[in-house]
Amino acid sequence: MTDLGNLSEVELDVLKELGNIGAGHAATSLSKLLNKDVYLSVPEVRVGEIKNISSEFIGEIVAGVIIALQDLEEKKSGYLYIMFPEKSARKIAGDLFCMEDLDEEMYASTIMEVGNILSSSFCDASADFMDITLLPSPPNFAEDVPTAVIDSVVSQMAKNSNHVILFETSLSSYSNIEVYLALLPEACLLDDMMKIMGNYERGYLIHLE
C-alpha cells in the first residue's frame, strides 16, 4: 500500500503539477460554459491523514457533487469531490440561466451538470498526464458540510489508505467565485501517481548531474 505520509519536495511538486493540469482544463470548460474568462489555479496541495479529515475541509455548507472513479477493469480508483460555497453555486447557476432566483430542482440540476463537466475535464487531463484511464461515474449532488458528504466514502477508504490528497483551488472571473476540488485516491491510483513521481524525480536527479 502506497504511503503518502513522507513525500519529498519533488514529489509534492509533481502532485501540484497534476492538480494544475486537471484544474486548468476544468477552468477552460467552465469558461466555455459561462462564456466568460475564468482563471483557476492550485495554490496549495495538501496530504492529510484520513483520521484528521475534519480539519482538512472548510466547515461551511457547500453545494457540490461527488464522483466515483474507476479504471477500465472497473476497479475503484477513488473519488473526486467538487464543492461550491453556496454563494458561488447560486451565482454560477444564475449566470447560466440569466436569472437571480432559480427553483431548488433547477438549481441542484444545474450544479450537478456543472460538476459533471468540471470532473470530466479534470479526470481526462489528469489521466492523460499519468497515461492511465479514469472513468468518472454520474455525479451525486449533495448540499451539506463536506465532512458529512464524504463520511461514508472515507470510512470505506480507511480500510486501504491512510491519507487523502486535497487540491485546494480558487476560481475567479468577472466576480469572485470559489471552487474546491478534493481528490481521494484509492491505492491503485496512488500507485500510478507514485510511478509518475518516481520517473519525474529520476529525471530531475539526472538533470542535476
Side-chain angles (χ1 to χ4, degrees):
M1 181 173 63
T2 302
D3 183 10
L4 291 179
N6 297 292
L7 294 180
S8 69
E9 186 175 344
V10 173
E11 288 171 330
L12 287 173
D13 284 343
V14 176
L15 278 180
K16 188 170 183 177
E17 181 62 17
L18 173 63
N20 269 314
I21 290 171
H25 281 71
T28 299
S29 295
L30 188 57
S31 178
K32 292 178 179 177
L33 190 65
L34 296 174
N35 195 28
K36 297 180 184 296
D37 290 335
V38 172
Y39 309 94
L40 194 153
S41 62
V42 182
E44 184 177 7
V45 175
R46 300 196 308 278
V47 179
E49 291 188 78
I50 285 181
K51 66 180 181 180
N52 299 323
I53 195 68
S54 60
S55 65
E56 300 293 342
F57 286 92
I58 58 176
E60 64 185 274
I61 292 178
V62 297
V65 295
I66 189 161
I67 300 101
L69 308 175
Q70 62 184 30
D71 60 20
L72 286 175
E73 298 178 354
E74 298 186 352
K75 295 179 181 177
K76 283 186 179 179
S77 293
Y79 300 86
L80 180 64
Y81 184 25
I82 300 180
M83 298 160 276
F84 304 87
E86 186 178 10
K87 185 176 179 180
S88 296
R90 293 194 178 276
K91 177 67 176 172
I92 290 173
D95 285 351
L96 287 174
F97 286 95
C98 298
M99 297 170 58
E100 290 188 6
D101 296 313
L102 299 176
D103 63 58
E104 291 305 306
E105 183 177 354
M106 184 179 291
Y107 165 67
S109 177
T110 302
I111 293 303
M112 189 160 61
E113 181 57 27
V114 172
N116 187 37
I117 291 170
L118 297 186
S119 64
S120 294
S121 296
F122 186 96
C123 288
D124 288 347
S126 301
D128 285 346
F129 180 71
M130 292 186 286
D131 195 24
I132 61 173
T133 298
L134 282 179
L135 304 175
S137 71
N140 290 313
F141 176 81
E143 194 165 21
D144 207 332
V145 292
T147 49
V149 175
I150 66 168
D151 184 59
S152 60
V153 169
V154 170
S155 296
Q156 290 296 317
M157 294 187 66
K159 299 175 183 178
N160 302 310
S161 179
N162 296 319
H163 294 82
V164 57
I165 298 173
L166 302 179
F167 299 101
E168 183 176 314
T169 72
S170 60
L171 180 156
S172 61
S173 59
Y174 64 99
S175 59
N176 290 329
I177 295 174
E178 293 179 294
V179 181
Y180 299 94
L181 288 84
L183 179 62
L184 295 83
E186 293 278 9
C188 58
L189 183 54
L190 287 179
D191 287 341
D192 287 326
M193 289 179 174
M194 294 303 288
K195 289 176 185 176
I196 292 294
M197 291 178 194
N199 292 336
Y200 186 96
E201 190 164 22
R202 282 193 294 272
Y204 179 77
L205 291 174
I206 290 173
H207 176 72
L208 288 180
E209 293 174 355

